[in-house]
Amino acid sequence: MRYFDHCASTPPHEDVIVTLAEVMRMHYANPSSIHQAGADAGQLIERARALIAKQFGTKPEEWLFTSGGTESNNLAIKGAARKYANRGKHLITSAVEHASVYETFQQLEKEGFRVTYVPVDEQGAVSVQEVAAALTDETILVSVMHVNNEVGTVQPIAAIGALLASRPKTLFHVDAVQSIGKLPIDIKGWGIDLLSGSAHKVRGPKGVGILYVRAGVSLEPLLTGGEQEHGWRAGTSNTPAIIASAKAFRIAMEESGMMHEQYMALRERLTDHIAQMPELVLNSATERAHGAPHIVHFSYPGMKPEVIVHSLEQEGFIVSTKSACSSKDEKPSRVLMAMSNDHRRAASGIRVSFGHEHAISDIDALADAIRKTISGLKPLERRI
């Protein structure tokens, strides 16, 4: 079985598995305890924090460990909005954010915050001019993802950061879950105040997220009951998973330059194949600069995506429909509706996401399986 669902989760790196097991075996003490065993575990966590900070050119004290990308997004957005509500109650995000961002803003609307959902163009890109037009004197937070988790659109994060540089009371949050280890990230240079990441998207263990909080920024905690993570995220730290995650982030970021060209070659090969299949519509951006290297998204209008997913699975290929967090939701993709307002296209999307193990031969084999699937399903197209 060939796995093409790396956006949902990645197979863990062998070194990460070894590290996780070793730390679990040797450092089981609570890292918040005052005895030496606890102190040793705590020191390992601080080393992991410093390792992540070094990869991003930041300070160790600017990083928190959470339970995953979803918690990091929730803590960044809710924590900042509630902490700085005295400055204003206007927030800005895009119409194509991950559910853990989009639904967080919907919750904040129920608390009395006003949210502007900036539209996107047909490739899923946010316009910096639209963000600028949405800003008011009451805007306290702008949140835009770096790479869209469904179609792979790369958003103009540097330009948005430059726009906000003259607005010190407006914080800038970036969901970088799908871009860490895939694209360069310049936290300081882009003026990012808050940035979220997830370990299991970079061949690390599930259950660990990271959150950058620029020095000088404060948050209202979501979880209380302890002083862990600067007092902003209570709960016993998962020492083995945190140490293993730090290794996964380091490996991913050190290999990102080499893997970028490999992924781009795979992406271009698959988009070329899709262009030769008239039944399919490519949803991912075609230009290199606008599309993430590891994601290709297409639709088969008129066909239910789960039918295609299961047909390809029968051929030995694992792909997905949309975000794994929303894949069991039968509604048309919110992202594709924002891009095209085409219900048939939005209701039939398929996402292919690559990993380190894939080669051109795998892409060619996948394309052959897609052709076979289309041929078999075409008679059913108008009845499904």
Side-chain angles (χ1 to χ4, degrees):
M1 193 69 72
R2 289 186 244 201
Y3 181 78
F4 280 95
D5 196 17
H6 281 246
C7 277
S9 196
T10 55
H13 194 289
E14 285 300 320
D15 290 350
V16 169
I17 295 172
V18 170
T19 296
L20 181 66
E22 288 180 351
V23 177
M24 186 176 288
R25 185 180 301 113
M26 298 176 62
H27 296 281
Y28 42 81
N30 190 319
S32 298
S33 298
I34 62 171
H35 48 63
Q36 190 58 51
D40 290 344
Q43 287 173 5
L44 283 178
I45 289 175
E46 293 314 308
R47 264 192 254 162
R49 200 186 310 276
L51 179 63
I52 288 172
K54 182 180 179 182
Q55 295 299 317
F56 288 96
T58 55
K59 301 173 184 177
E61 58 269 25
E62 294 178 306
W63 288 92
L64 310 181
F65 292 110
T66 70
S67 65
T70 291
E71 186 188 342
S72 291
N73 284 334
N74 272 259
L75 177 55
I77 296 164
K78 291 176 183 172
R82 292 167 179 167
K83 185 70 176 181
Y84 296 105
N86 61 326
R87 294 180 180 176
K89 303 199 77 172
H90 180 239
L91 315 169
I92 297 173
T93 190
S94 87
V96 295
E97 298 297 310
H98 185 271
S100 63
V101 170
Y102 190 82
E103 293 179 17
T104 294
F105 278 103
Q106 290 187 315
Q107 281 191 314
L108 289 172
E109 285 185 287
K110 295 176 182 178
E111 296 180 18
F113 288 90
R114 293 182 299 106
V115 181
T116 299
Y117 298 92
V118 175
V120 295
D121 64 19
E122 61 186 11
Q123 292 193 325
V126 171
S127 162
V128 180
Q129 290 72 29
E130 292 273 9
V131 176
L135 290 167
T136 75
D137 292 339
E138 299 257 316
T139 307
I140 58 171
L141 177 68
V142 174
S143 178
V144 178
M145 67 196 331
H146 190 190
V147 167
N148 183 268
N149 55 292
E150 284 190 38
V151 299
T153 305
V154 180
Q155 303 293 3
I157 299 302
I160 296 172
L163 169 69
L164 300 176
S166 60
R167 301 176 60 97
K169 292 186 178 180
T170 302
L171 299 179
F172 186 26
H173 168 249
V174 175
D175 173 358
V177 166
Q178 292 294 351
S179 62
I180 294 175
K182 311 297 191 307
L183 293 172
I185 297 173
D186 185 357
I187 289 179
K188 298 297 185 182
W190 295 350
I192 297 171
D193 300 297
L194 301 152
L195 181 135
S196 309
S198 177
H200 77 105
K201 308 295 188 180
V202 293
R203 304 180 70 192
K206 296 175 181 64
V208 177
I210 54 175
L211 176 62
Y212 168 79
V213 183
R214 178 179 58 78
V217 174
S218 188
L219 299 174
E220 190 74 25
L222 300 181
L223 303 176
T224 56
E227 293 302 312
Q228 295 91 346
E229 299 305 309
H230 316 318
W232 294 338
R233 200 273 177 184
T236 302
S237 300
N238 186 346
T239 308
I242 286 172
I243 308 311
S245 295
K247 174 165 282 192
F249 280 115
R250 177 185 62 77
I251 293 171
M253 294 182 72
E254 288 178 352
E255 294 181 349
S256 62
M258 173 185 67
M259 295 306 300
H260 183 273
E261 288 308 310
Q262 177 176 323
Y263 291 149
M264 271 298 181
L266 300 177
R267 184 181 189 275
E268 290 171 359
R269 185 73 160 217
L270 184 54
T271 55
D272 286 346
H273 279 297
I274 290 171
Q276 298 169 23
M277 303 180 205
E279 298 86 356
L280 305 183
V281 177
L282 181 67
N283 298 313
S284 296
T286 53
E287 297 87 353
R288 268 186 168 228
H290 296 153
H294 62 301
I295 301 173
V296 173
H297 194 285
F298 62 88
S299 293
Y300 183 175
M303 188 62 59
K304 289 184 178 180
E306 59 268 26
V307 175
I308 302 172
V309 169
H310 294 312
S311 294
L312 288 174
E313 192 170 9
Q314 292 298 313
E315 297 296 323
F317 296 89
I318 296 176
V319 300
S320 62
T321 54
K322 44 189 174 180
S323 166
C325 301
S326 307
S327 62
K328 294 180 181 178
D329 181 355
E330 294 185 359
K331 295 179 182 177
S333 163
R334 171 172 50 81
V335 171
L336 293 182
M337 286 297 290
M339 291 168 57
S340 67
N341 198 30
D342 183 332
H343 188 281
R344 293 177 78 247
R345 179 175 164 187
S348 60
I350 297 293
R351 182 182 67 185
V352 178
S353 47
F354 316 128
H356 66 286
E357 73 271 28
H358 296 131
I360 292 292
S361 58
D362 296 302
I363 297 298
D364 291 342
L366 173 61
D368 288 342
I370 293 172
R371 288 189 183 93
K372 182 177 178 181
T373 294
I374 291 173
S375 177
L377 295 178
K378 196 161 182 60
L380 305 175
E381 182 177 326
R382 295 184 180 179
R383 288 185 283 166
I384 291 182

